[in-house]
């Protein structure tokens, strides 16, 4: 080992930098720079996150772009100083006294909560770790680099507001986001991806393409314009067709149901803060935040036989959740959305095969949208779980064995299952390499018991079914948001709201253009006509900005030869084409 260390030193080599340690250290350098420039600012927290880091500060005024430039400059000075990072530990009272001397009230709160945990099952902390670099000291468990000089490539990216501990009743803090990479080339590539992501932002494209918008009059609730609703409806048509092929029956349940139903299901005990309530005839009602209880009532309306199993009841349910305003993000995080849910009832002996069936369904669906890269995450028993340890072991084993028998790799997400059972999450990777959680499969061991659901078994007696909850898209809205950014608004031909734009060169070609439009519409091709008195180049650019894949140009020659001149996204100018042949080809391409 000594020789190896000597060789590394002689060759001026170092072991690879751990990204988490690099970004965590850069967050500390950020906080140190802020304290140097703005000594009265109070420190909150500064973790490393996917693709970067952030730090929250309590300031009198939000940080400006000019502030970020000054902070970056100061950070570079700290990095150049090559300050060593040294850790030390203090007992509870010493730690409290230390952060009080530093006048850091948020650090005091963190220490107090660890000394006296709100969760009685957690052990009280008796020792607290701090990291020091130069004059700057922060409460932190690490990990960190050994010196600030090892930071070679970083960038502060943006600022945002963030409630302390995510609680809207607590102080609003100023958050600075940044990122760091081992090399300047890796940082440059990442910043390029960020710029591309801004261009693909579904909120921006949604407005530009006339698909959907958001209003302060209904925060977190999307408004669909004609083309956007057409896109959503087309997605739902596909959903219905593929689910019918996989043996699902569609149901619909009420949006508002009595409070006692949600108490019976257990949801009020876990989600009541996220539920919208109202009083009708002096009784408490809730707007549904999920479809599950309605699905239980639908199953319970009649006595079922094992011969009907697996019984697959699917629902496109309109859901409302009281999300915090700071958590809202376009279609990705809304207060109103359409959840593509299903509840599958079966015998225990059928669980593993049905899990495989659902996984195959999801893989077919994602492939239809060009989303072929995804990974599986198996979430296990959480601290607030209900049910016996034996039930959880059996359920987790079923999910694990289904994935392994299908040859699917997965990672374990310890303690992140639903309170009623473990789950498999699908993490979809988009064209920019970002990961999105869409589909989920949850094994529910509790609701059939709570709703006293039964079936007649092979022995003629009554038995209790087991159940799988599952959502394929997660929600129609979220999936549309992911798909918009993945495709940069260039949706698959069969899905795109407007498949073809007809562009007459002059007014004398309008009549022929109208006939072409009628033929396309009769064939089921979604087309529109641009008969404005604008120049051709302008119309073509407008169609490209609207992400319309096909443009049919009509001039004297085309009208005379009874043809159209085709410009496509893939091939540009394709010249004169027979309209009938195009329609036949497009009808095939429009089928899902």
């Amino acid at each position: 080992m000594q020789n190896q260390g000597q060789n590394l030193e002689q060759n001026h080599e170092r072991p690879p930098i751990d990204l988490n340690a690099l970004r965590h250290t850069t967050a500390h350098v950020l906080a140190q720079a802020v304290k140097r420039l703005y000594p009265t600012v109070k420190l909150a927290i500064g973790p490393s996150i996917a693709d970067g880091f952030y730090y929250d500060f309590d300031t009198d005024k939000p940080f400006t772009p000019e502030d970020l430039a000054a902070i970056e400059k100061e950070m570079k000075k700290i990095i150049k100083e090559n300050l060593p990072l040294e850790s030390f530990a203090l007992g509870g009272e010493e730690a409290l006294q230390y952060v009080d001397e530093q006048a850091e009230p948020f650090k005091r709160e963190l220490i107090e909560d660890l000394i006296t945990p709100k969760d009685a099952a957690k052990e009280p902390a008796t020792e607290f770790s701090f990291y020091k670099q130069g004059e700057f000291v922060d409460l932190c468990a690490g990990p960190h680099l050994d010196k600030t000089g090892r930071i070679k490539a970083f960038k502060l990216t943006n600022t945002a507001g963030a409630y302390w501990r995510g609680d809207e009743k607590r102080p609003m803090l100023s958050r600075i986001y940044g990122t760091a990479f081992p090399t300047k080339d890796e940082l440059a590539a990442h910043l390029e991806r960020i710029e591309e992501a801004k261009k693909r932002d579904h909120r921006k494209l949604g407005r530009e393409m006339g698909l959907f918008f958001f209003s302060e009059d209904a925060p977190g609730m999307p408004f669909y314009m004609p083309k956007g609703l057409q896109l959503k409806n087309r997605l739902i048509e596909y959903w219905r067709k593929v689910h019918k092929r996989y043996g699902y029956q569609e149901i619909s349940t009420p949006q508002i149901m009595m409070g006692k139903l949600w108490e019976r299901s257990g949801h009020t005990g876990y989600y009541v803060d996220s539920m919208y309530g109202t009083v009708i005839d002096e009784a408490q009602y809730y707007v549904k935040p999920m479809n599950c209880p309605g699905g239980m009532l639908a199953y319970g309306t009649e006595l079922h036989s094992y011969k009907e199993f697996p019984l697959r009841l699917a629902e496109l349910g309109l859901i409302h959740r009281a999300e915090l305003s700071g958590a809202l993000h376009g279609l990705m995080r809304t207060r109103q959305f359409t959840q593509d849910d299903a509840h599958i009832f079966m015998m225990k002996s059928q669980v593993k095969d049905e899990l495989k069936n659902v996984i195959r369904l999801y893989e077919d669906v994602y492939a239809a949208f060009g989303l072929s890269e995804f990974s599986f995450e198996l979430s296990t028993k959480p601290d607030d779980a209900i049910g016996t340890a034996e039930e959880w072991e059996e359920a987790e084993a079923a999910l694990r064995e289904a994935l392994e028998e299908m040859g699917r790799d997965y990672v374990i997400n310890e303690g992140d299952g639903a309170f009623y059972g473990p789950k498999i999450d699908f993490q979809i990777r988009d064209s920019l390499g970002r990961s999105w959680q869409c589909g989920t499969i949850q094994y529910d061991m509790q609701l059939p018991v709570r709703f006293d659901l039964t079936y007649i078994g092979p022995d003629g007696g009554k038995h209790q079914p087991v159940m799988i909850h599952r959502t394929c898209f997660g929600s129609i809205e979220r999936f549309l948001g992911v798909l918009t950014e993945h495709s940069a608004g260039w949706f698959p031909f069969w899905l795109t709201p407007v498949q073809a734009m007809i562009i007459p060169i002059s007014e004398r070609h309008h009549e022929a253009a109208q006939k072409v439009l009628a033929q396309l519409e009769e064939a089921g091709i979604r087309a529109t006509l641009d008969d404005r008195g604008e120049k051709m180049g302008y119309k073509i650019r407008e169609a490209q900005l609207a992400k319309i894949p096909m443009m049919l140009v009509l001039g004297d020659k085309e009208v005379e030869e009874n043809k159209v001149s085709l410009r496509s996204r893939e091939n540009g100018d394709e010249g004169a084409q027979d309209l009938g042949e195009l329609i036949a080809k497009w009808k095939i391409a429009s089928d899902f």
Side-chain angles (χ1 to χ4, degrees):
M1 292 298 294
Q2 185 177 1
N3 290 338
Q4 183 180 5
Q6 288 173 348
N7 289 337
L8 283 173
E9 188 173 343
Q10 289 170 1
N11 296 328
H12 305 289
E13 295 176 357
R14 289 182 180 273
I17 288 181
D18 175 72
L19 272 180
N20 185 34
L22 169 63
R23 289 166 178 168
H24 206 159
T25 304
T26 314
H28 274 221
V29 172
L30 163 61
Q32 184 176 12
V34 168
K35 289 293 281 186
R36 283 185 179 183
L37 296 171
Y38 313 98
T40 60
V41 163
K42 304 301 178 188
L43 303 175
I45 57 173
S48 64
I49 56 174
D51 290 333
F53 59 87
Y54 70 79
Y55 212 109
D56 288 343
F57 304 94
D58 188 15
T59 65
D60 294 332
K61 62 181 183 66
F63 294 106
T64 66
E66 292 74 21
D67 292 334
L68 290 193
I71 294 167
E72 273 196 359
K73 186 176 180 180
E74 190 64 33
M75 289 175 69
K76 289 175 182 176
K77 290 181 183 177
I78 295 168
I79 292 169
K80 192 173 181 180
E81 290 170 18
N82 198 23
L83 302 172
L85 278 87
E86 303 165 343
S87 65
F88 62 91
L90 296 175
E93 289 303 319
E94 289 179 293
L96 288 172
Q97 182 180 348
Y98 186 83
V99 295
D100 284 345
E101 290 171 357
Q102 304 296 317
E104 297 292 357
F106 298 102
K107 303 296 182 182
R108 164 173 266 277
E109 183 177 326
L110 292 173
I111 294 170
E112 287 175 336
D113 286 353
L114 291 169
I115 291 174
T116 311
K118 293 177 182 177
D119 185 348
K122 290 185 177 180
E123 290 290 328
T126 57
E127 192 174 76
F128 298 87
S129 170
F130 292 80
Y131 274 82
K132 179 180 185 299
Q133 58 198 54
E135 82 287 355
F136 178 78
V137 180
D138 201 359
L139 173 70
C140 185
H144 286 286
L145 303 179
D146 56 345
K147 294 181 179 181
T148 61
R150 294 195 68 194
I151 300 170
K152 302 300 181 184
F154 79 94
K155 180 69 179 176
L156 300 184
T157 53
N158 64 293
T159 62
Y163 290 110
W164 171 234
R165 295 190 144 180
D167 186 344
E168 61 183 349
K169 297 176 183 176
R170 306 297 301 277
M172 171 64 79
L173 305 175
S174 291
R175 175 172 295 179
I176 297 178
Y177 284 99
T179 191
F181 285 88
T183 67
K184 291 181 179 180
D185 286 346
E186 289 172 282
L187 175 62
H190 176 73
L191 295 177
E192 188 176 330
R193 285 194 298 271
I194 289 177
E195 288 305 309
E196 181 61 27
K198 289 178 182 177
K199 296 175 188 175
R200 293 169 179 247
D201 190 314
H202 72 280
R203 296 165 297 181
K204 173 178 175 287
L205 290 176
R207 274 196 173 275
E208 290 177 354
M209 297 174 66
L211 303 177
F212 48 80
F213 67 93
F214 293 86
S215 169
E216 293 180 358
D217 294 309
M221 302 183 190
F223 290 75
Y224 287 96
M225 298 301 285
K227 285 193 290 185
L229 188 58
Q230 193 173 49
L231 178 65
K232 179 181 178 181
N233 287 340
R234 186 69 172 159
L235 186 61
I236 288 172
E237 287 173 23
Y238 168 78
W239 182 91
R240 287 194 166 118
K241 185 172 182 178
V242 76
H243 279 75
K244 184 177 181 180
R245 189 166 73 239
Y246 271 82
Y248 286 79
Q249 303 173 65
E250 188 176 353
I251 63 172
S252 179
T253 63
Q255 288 186 54
I256 302 176
M257 292 181 278
M258 295 190 75
K260 64 181 182 181
L261 178 70
W262 300 100
E263 291 169 9
R264 184 179 184 185
S265 69
H267 287 100
T268 50
Y270 290 85
Y271 300 119
V272 71
D273 290 340
S274 298
M275 297 168 68
Y276 292 109
T278 187
V279 175
I280 303 174
D281 296 334
E282 300 182 355
Q284 179 68 49
Y285 283 72
Y286 289 103
V287 182
K288 66 179 180 182
M290 58 272 297
N291 297 307
C292 317
M296 302 307 101
L297 295 182
Y299 177 93
T301 56
E302 57 184 285
L303 187 60
H304 296 278
S305 164
Y306 75 96
K307 295 178 180 179
E308 301 173 66
F309 288 169
L311 179 61
R312 306 178 182 103
L313 301 181
E315 179 173 13
L316 291 164
L318 189 61
I319 300 300
H320 290 80
R321 293 182 184 173
E323 300 282 3
L324 296 174
S325 58
L328 300 176
H329 181 74
L331 295 177
M332 307 300 195
R333 192 72 175 265
T334 59
R335 287 175 174 160
Q336 174 185 289
F337 57 93
T338 304
Q339 190 174 63
D340 69 315
D341 215 344
H343 300 96
I344 308 171
F345 303 89
M346 71 204 82
M347 299 182 290
K348 279 189 177 181
S349 60
Q350 298 171 304
V351 168
K352 201 188 303 181
D353 285 341
E354 188 58 21
L355 287 167
K356 295 177 184 178
N357 187 59
V358 175
I359 291 170
R360 282 190 288 268
L361 164 64
Y362 286 15
E363 292 177 341
D364 282 355
V365 168
Y366 300 147
F369 298 96
L371 293 163
S372 56
E373 292 188 35
F374 48 83
S375 57
F376 301 91
E377 195 172 82
L378 174 57
S379 297
T380 58
K381 184 180 179 182
D383 293 337
D384 58 357
I386 56 178
T388 66
E390 291 75 17
E391 287 174 324
W392 275 88
E393 288 173 10
E394 182 180 355
E396 288 174 7
L399 270 60
R400 186 171 59 252
E401 289 168 13
L403 287 168
E404 291 173 356
E405 289 176 16
M406 293 183 76
R408 305 299 190 266
D409 294 331
Y410 63 94
V411 296
I412 298 291
N413 188 5
E414 291 287 355
D416 200 43
F419 72 91
Y420 47 75
K423 62 177 180 172
I424 298 171
D425 288 329
F426 281 66
Q427 301 289 344
I428 295 176
R429 190 169 293 277
D430 70 10
S431 57
L432 295 182
R434 299 170 302 179
S435 185
W436 304 95
Q437 195 269 301
C438 289
T440 186
I441 307 171
Q442 302 173 342
Y443 186 172
D444 190 340
M445 306 171 290
Q446 302 303 323
L447 282 187
V449 176
R450 291 184 175 225
F451 282 83
D452 195 25
L453 303 183
T454 60
Y455 69 93
I456 301 299
D459 59 358
K462 284 188 176 182
H463 302 271
Q464 203 141 56
V466 293
M467 187 181 76
I468 290 174
H469 299 252
R470 41 112 301 183
T471 61
C472 181
F473 294 144
S475 81
I476 299 295
E477 284 69 21
R478 179 177 174 80
F479 192 76
L480 276 178
V482 172
L483 190 60
T484 300
E485 298 196 2
H486 170 70
S487 65
W490 291 103
F491 301 108
F493 183 76
W494 61 267
L495 180 65
T496 192
V498 180
Q499 295 171 307
M501 169 77 81
I502 304 160
I503 305 176
I505 291 177
S506 69
E507 189 173 345
R508 65 178 179 273
H509 307 120
H510 285 186
E511 184 178 349
Q514 288 286 355
K515 291 178 181 178
V516 170
L517 178 62
Q519 287 180 263
L520 292 171
E521 289 179 339
E522 186 178 354
I525 304 300
R526 297 181 295 281
T528 187
L529 169 62
D530 188 348
D531 56 4
R532 297 173 298 168
E534 300 286 352
K535 292 181 179 180
M536 276 288 299
Y538 179 82
K539 291 182 180 182
I540 290 171
R541 283 194 300 275
E542 288 280 290
Q544 289 172 335
L545 288 173
K547 313 290 186 182
I548 298 173
M550 303 294 176
M551 287 173 270
L552 303 179
V553 179
L554 283 172
D556 290 337
K557 185 179 179 182
E558 288 79 14
V559 172
E560 183 181 339
E561 296 178 357
N562 196 27
K563 291 187 175 183
V564 292
S565 185
L566 173 65
R567 292 181 63 91
S568 69
R569 183 206 170 197
E570 288 80 10
N571 304 315
D573 188 353
E574 297 190 37
Q577 306 281 323
D578 180 83
L579 182 60
E581 292 177 4
L582 281 180
I583 287 175
K585 184 169 65 175
W586 290 350
K587 284 181 72 173
I588 293 172
S590 295
D591 187 22
F592 48 64

